[in-house]
Amino acid sequence: EDKVVQSPLSLVVHEGDTVTLNCSYEVTNFRSLLWYKQEKKAPTFLFMLTSSGIEKKSGRLSSILDKKELFSILNITATQTGDSAIYLCAVEGGNYGQNFVFGPGTRLSVLP
Amino acid sequence: DTAVSQTPKYLVTQMGNDKSIKCEQNLGHDTMYWYKQDSKKFLKIMFSYNNKELIINETVPNRFSPKSPDKAHLNLHINSLELGDSAVYFCASGTRDRTEAFFGQGTRLTVV
């Protein structure tokens, strides 16, 4: 059965800290892994990863995929209170991309 | 014991047809949502239902109509399907303050 596991489920840090969020998965015919930021609105797309070892960066956020070990990490450096959100990892798989599984999310709280 | 389940998982249909996608959640949440994922993997909210009351409708064509027979179900009806309706549709349930959402596995709709 396809599944996505995220850790930690909850994390509290102070502004300026660096955090690493983890996502491991099992999926048939992997196609891509996606990261979203969930706040009080529709989830915001962050990254889509399809190849191992290629880091994607956007400002203070970066992510990398390891297809051999079946996991991805999302790093946030110099965290700000505005980074407080739930970070969702999702994996797309299946012969036609018809399987799409979301993880439970990591709730990040950044304190001033 | 799936938390949020959608059916069908994928759907191929002809232009002009009317179709429905069902969604059920067993989490006891008071709010359910429908999202459309576009070709760039962005998730766009379509509807939000809280205690049987529609509280968000993000400029969605009126060919789309949500139906909620009870708090645990939010079905999506689409009339006169168009090619541009082809996408993956996600159902989610969560809390009223929208700080978290649990997603279904998605329904890949293809209109031919």
Side-chain angles (χ1 to χ4, degrees):
Chain A
E1 183 181 342
D2 297 343
K3 66 178 180 180
V4 175
V5 177
Q6 291 186 247
S7 64
L9 292 180
S10 181
L11 185 58
V12 181
V13 300
H14 287 91
E15 276 193 312
D17 290 348
T18 293
V19 298
T20 298
L21 309 183
N22 303 292
C23 175
S24 62
Y25 63 90
E26 293 178 24
V27 68
T28 304
N29 295 327
F30 173 88
R31 292 168 63 92
S32 67
L33 183 145
L34 300 93
W35 284 97
Y36 290 92
K37 180 182 181 183
Q38 167 81 51
E39 299 172 277
K40 293 185 180 182
K41 54 186 178 182
T44 304
F45 172 77
L46 297 175
F47 300 110
M48 183 169 76
L49 305 159
T50 57
S51 301
S52 283
I54 300 174
E55 184 182 49
K56 292 210 170 182
K57 295 194 72 171
S58 177
R60 296 177 293 103
L61 277 66
S62 64
S63 184
I64 197 162
L65 174 68
D66 185 329
K67 289 169 69 174
K68 181 179 178 183
E69 299 298 330
L70 306 182
F71 78 91
S72 173
I73 59 172
L74 175 67
N75 280 320
I76 309 175
T77 59
T79 52
Q80 303 171 357
T81 54
D83 295 328
S84 297
I86 291 179
Y87 290 83
L88 296 167
C89 173
V91 176
E92 186 179 26
N95 292 329
Y96 308 103
Q98 73 271 30
N99 297 333
F100 207 102
V101 183
F102 278 89
T106 292
R107 181 187 291 276
L108 174 65
S109 299
V110 182
L111 305 178
Chain B
D1 57 350
T2 304
V4 181
S5 60
Q6 293 177 231
T7 53
K9 208 170 184 179
Y10 43 95
L11 181 58
V12 181
T13 188
Q14 290 186 321
M15 282 177 59
N17 284 349
D18 302 336
K19 290 293 179 185
S20 296
I21 306 172
K22 296 184 178 181
C23 179
E24 177 181 4
Q25 58 100 359
N26 61 7
L27 297 166
H29 286 147
D30 57 9
T31 308
M32 295 182 71
Y33 312 87
W34 276 103
Y35 293 89
K36 180 180 180 180
Q37 185 190 44
D38 65 18
S39 58
K40 295 184 179 180
K41 307 299 183 183
F42 289 96
L43 287 171
K44 298 179 180 178
I45 194 166
M46 301 175 70
F47 301 104
S48 171
Y49 250 81
N50 177 271
N51 291 328
K52 297 190 178 183
E53 180 183 358
L54 179 66
I55 57 177
I56 294 178
N57 183 339
E58 300 283 337
T59 64
V60 173
N62 58 15
R63 297 182 295 104
F64 291 80
S65 58
K67 298 281 194 305
S68 181
D70 54 57
K71 201 168 78 165
H73 296 83
L74 183 64
N75 303 324
L76 182 65
H77 297 269
I78 315 171
N79 295 324
S80 303
L81 278 157
E82 301 177 357
L83 294 177
D85 298 333
S86 297
V88 182
Y89 292 84
F90 289 95
C91 175
S93 75
T95 53
R96 188 179 302 201
D97 62 6
R98 298 175 68 188
T99 53
E100 63 180 26
F102 292 81
F103 285 83
Q105 79 277 24
T107 296
R108 181 175 291 276
L109 172 65
T110 303
V111 182
V112 298

